[in-house]
Amino acid sequence: MKVSEMLVPTLREIPAEAEVVSHQLLLKAGFIRKAAAGVYNLLPLAWRVVKKIEQIIREEMDRQGGQELMMPIVQPAELWRESGRWDVYGPELFRLKDRHGRDFCLGPTHEEIITTLVKGDINSYKQLPLLLYQIQNKYRDERRPRFGLLRGREFIMKDLYSFDYDQDGLDVSYNKMYEAYNNIFSRCGLDFRPVVADSGAIGGKDTHEFMVLAESGEATIVYCEGKECGYAANEERAEAVVTGVKDDTPVLELKKIHTPDCRTIADLASFLKVAPERMIKTMLYTTEKETVAALVRGDREINEIKLYNILGCVKLDMAGPATVLAVTGAQTGFAGPVQLKGVRIVADPEVMTMTNAVCGANEDDHHLVNINLGRDFEPDIVTDIRLVKSGEPCPNCGNKLLEARGIEVGQVFKLGDKYSKAMNATFLDENGQARLFIMGCYGIGVTRTMAAAVEQYHDERGIIWPAQIAPYHVAVLPVNHKDEHQFGTAESIYRQLVATGVEAVLDDRPERAGVKFKDADLVGYPLRITVGDKGLAAGQVELTTRQTGDMKMVPLDKIVDEVKSSLLGLGYTGL
Ligand code: 9G3
């Protein structure tokens, strides 16, 4: 394609509303334009990237026996009422009515639709397992759409659903998808990690997230420094190891101390000259059913996801001042487990090892010292409720855990019978008995993967596309478009490249060389061929690699072969 004929509206300035680098660069380099908050036009370059990612996904899904189909975006409310989710998802579900006043939604995901489809048309165990997928626009009315394609209200997702005879079958399907996802993100040229994750509101047991490593990522992951171990988890799910053993120094007398204005662990530590490890942090939370007190060591933080999961509640919020006052009789900052009435106490196992600890006295400006398990308080539940930080031991092998930031681009879930039970979706087994389908669901954010690639691969000049998903491989630039020899040579190289299957563009615009170089760097073509006077005098052109900045002069009759081997070196195997 000739650049003069392409729709690539590059910008000089970064639009002010773009907060993250992928949003900034995709706008600036002319890949996307906003149509509404969280809704984007994918211009020709972006669409080429999307199609490449989709092609890789299709090949890997099909290799595992997946069958592609296409389900409707417009979904009837009845199915969502059947699964019980019409009322679970509030304003995030895009709702609409037809002319008869009947309720519909725009599909945020397709568990309801596919379960109904399979329920209607699969009757026998002989038709299982079944892996069905689609690549389609999804709709979620995010409260704050931001970060461009990373959190849109309309986005492209690949969603696959597996239907199996039993749990063993599900394990096989799950492992197939786990392998396929590893292949997909590797083939996209991304640096990623599969991590153990929390299944959250959608239920089910096992789940892994696929995280593209990038500093701007919203998720924190912890992983084992030991290469052989391979433990990696979303911070939300990372298991804490109890390192302390029960401190058996003599139990001392409980004392109440006046601690004016000491509301935080840090205040208290400097006032009492006691290390935070010797304190118990007491946090009050409310659910739709009750108020609970959560206890962790003073230097630890509560992991609200873990707390939410063990409480089995729908809603979990930190208690406000009124609740704190009603429960403890004091202002926020002085809560403690001693003589705390009417609430369940959930303690992290580390708290159980502490002797002569410090905690709030449930009285304004007072704390207790020398509090001890058994004599002074007794938790109702003891379980891991704390956040794990880097430097702590790996729960798998004991080596050190490290932290990294990641962008979630894929997730695999074992759903079990959650949806088949709710929607009464059964098949007949070999004895003619009805059994519930055992399901899994597996998603990849396609447009998000494109944005994550930009987050991972860019520099101050622009995008650096991995060759496997680059919109084009090579830009051919005549330095002086008025010079017929230069222009003719550039055009000839461009034609030869296209003829051998290399995706090339010819920057034929009547622009200064500097403008063309700048745009090529911004758009992020993996390779650039510069046709200039000096080189041509020696029968050579310049080949530049965007990723490394490496430049070399290549004789005209070698340039096509050189481009091919450079692309191979960059990981592109499609030639
Ligand atoms: C909704 C709305 C938002 C949602 C969901 C439903 C997230 C919802 C989870 C999933 C799970 C899997 C298939 C592919 C793999 C992931 N946000 N989820 O179910 F109604 Cl408004 O989508 N779905």
Side-chain angles (χ1 to χ4, degrees), residues 80 85 89-94 108-111 138-141 157-161 181 202 411-413 415 419 441-444:
W80 285 76
R85 297 210 297 172
Y89 286 92
E92 197 184 339
L93 193 59
F94 263 111
T109 177
H110 282 69
E111 282 82 2
K138 293 282 187 280
Y139 297 84
R140 292 179 187 175
D141 196 356
M157 186 200 267
K158 182 287 300 181
D159 44 330
L160 183 143
Y161 304 86
Y181 278 35
I202 93 154
Q411 190 160 17
V412 291
F413 288 99
L415 290 169
Y419 290 91
C441 69
Y442 316 84
I444 292 178

Side-chain angles (χ1 to χ4, degrees), residues 450-519:
M450 169 164 70
V454 178
E455 292 289 336
Q456 190 164 75
Y457 298 119
H458 66 270
D459 62 12
E460 59 296 338
R461 287 174 291 145
I463 305 171
I464 306 171
W465 289 107
Q468 300 92 321
I469 59 170
Y472 288 94
H473 303 134
V474 193
V476 186
L477 270 71
V479 171
N480 179 356
H481 69 98
K482 287 187 193 136
D483 181 317
E484 275 177 31
H485 184 39
Q486 275 182 37
F487 195 90
T489 307
E491 198 171 18
S492 152
I493 294 170
Y494 161 72
R495 286 189 201 291
Q496 292 171 60
L497 288 171
V498 171
T500 48
V502 174
E503 297 170 27
V505 300
L506 174 66
D507 198 344
D508 60 336
R509 294 175 301 167
E511 294 282 357
R512 285 181 296 112
V515 171
K516 292 189 270 194
F517 288 142
K518 245 182 147 167
D519 277 355

Side-chain angles (χ1 to χ4, degrees), residues 417-436:
D417 63 7
K418 179 180 153 107
Y419 290 91
S420 46
K421 199 178 215 166
M423 308 188 77
N424 191 29
T426 59
F427 61 93
L428 296 180
D429 68 11
E430 56 277 56
N431 303 315
Q433 295 290 316
R435 290 174 72 117
L436 295 169

